Amino acid sequence: MGNAKSGAVSKEILEDLKLNTKFTESELTQWYENFQQQCPSGRITPDEFEKIYARFFPESDAKTYAQHVFRSFDTNDDGTLDFKEYIIALHMTSSGKMALKLEWAFSLFDVDKNGYITKAEVTEICQAIFKLIPKEKQDQLPSDENTPEKRADKLWSYFKKKDNGKDKTQGVIRKDWQKESLFKG
């Protein structure tokens, strides 16, 4: 990561992030300083990440969703987020190109990281999301998506996938799903 003694992000990481995100050198430097203040170890642990999410959703149970988001951001699977993973995640989810956002969304739903999304995984993520929604807001949702299971069914049907337990190629969404006819006019 960055040079811990000088408190500055390494030139290599800085150049890489400038090439792969929309952030300027000045913005990245400021992000790094803030990151170092919040995470002096240079890494965000799952517990710290959950606490961050809890601050954004103080009236909700954000833990499960935060765990899924953390898993999707931890691209090297080391159980922590370093500055580079943090910035790439921030870029992908806030201002990245649609293809990057789709890639991140896929990684969020691919709970077991096997390159496929099953209906069970869609349901698991929907359940985590519903824990973020206050009960009174859930009551206002349309009747066809006012439970995690209904929302998962609706999402699953959008991809025209069958979940009959027999034909495994029909019961999953592949990592290369963007290439399917779904996105062709």
Side-chain angles (χ1 to χ4, degrees):
M1 204 177 84
N3 182 343
K5 290 183 180 171
S6 69
V9 64
S10 75
K11 291 288 183 195
E12 179 182 308
I13 290 175
L14 187 60
E15 290 304 315
D16 187 39
L17 290 173
K18 283 175 22 185
L19 285 172
N20 292 299
T21 71
K22 69 164 186 95
F23 302 119
T24 65
E25 184 169 338
S26 169
E27 289 170 322
L28 290 167
T29 302
Q30 184 61 49
W31 278 106
Y32 185 74
E33 289 172 13
N34 291 338
F35 184 85
Q36 285 297 101
Q37 286 177 353
Q38 297 296 316
C39 307
S41 70
R43 300 195 168 275
I44 300 174
T45 66
D47 287 341
E48 291 166 331
F49 195 78
E50 289 169 20
K51 288 175 187 169
I52 292 167
Y53 257 79
R55 287 195 302 257
F56 286 110
F57 299 96
E59 303 298 318
S60 303
D61 177 3
K63 182 176 182 163
T64 306
Y65 187 70
Q67 290 170 343
H68 287 297
V69 172
F70 185 91
R71 172 191 40 77
S72 71
F73 289 168
D74 183 15
T75 55
N76 65 0
D77 292 323
D78 71 351
T80 64
L81 299 180
D82 62 21
F83 179 69
K84 186 175 178 181
E85 288 170 314
Y86 174 75
I87 291 297
I88 298 276
L90 181 65
H91 171 71
M92 281 193 325
T93 58
S94 66
S95 58
K97 294 181 180 180
M98 183 58 72
L100 286 176
K101 289 180 182 180
L102 289 172
E103 188 177 314
W104 173 73
F106 187 94
S107 71
L108 177 67
F109 280 88
D110 185 13
V111 174
D112 62 8
K113 294 186 172 191
N114 70 352
Y116 297 93
I117 298 173
T118 64
K119 187 173 180 193
E121 289 172 314
V122 171
T123 302
E124 184 174 338
I125 298 302
C126 287
Q127 289 168 338
I129 291 170
F130 263 70
K131 289 179 180 179
L132 299 174
I133 304 170
K135 180 68 173 130
E136 62 275 5
K137 298 284 186 191
Q138 289 182 30
D139 293 340
Q140 297 171 4
L141 292 171
S143 62
D144 64 338
E145 56 184 58
N146 61 1
T147 69
E149 294 75 20
K150 287 180 183 177
R151 184 62 177 149
D153 287 344
K154 191 172 183 178
L155 283 170
W156 199 250
S157 68
Y158 176 79
F159 291 100
K160 300 179 176 98
K161 295 293 181 183
K162 294 178 175 54
D163 192 26
N164 59 17
K166 295 177 186 172
D167 183 352
K168 295 299 181 191
T169 63
Q170 289 297 313
V172 298
I173 300 170
R174 295 184 322 269
K175 187 163 178 96
D176 63 351
W177 64 282
Q178 299 99 317
K179 297 177 183 114
E180 293 182 15
S181 61
L182 176 69
F183 292 103
K184 294 179 183 169

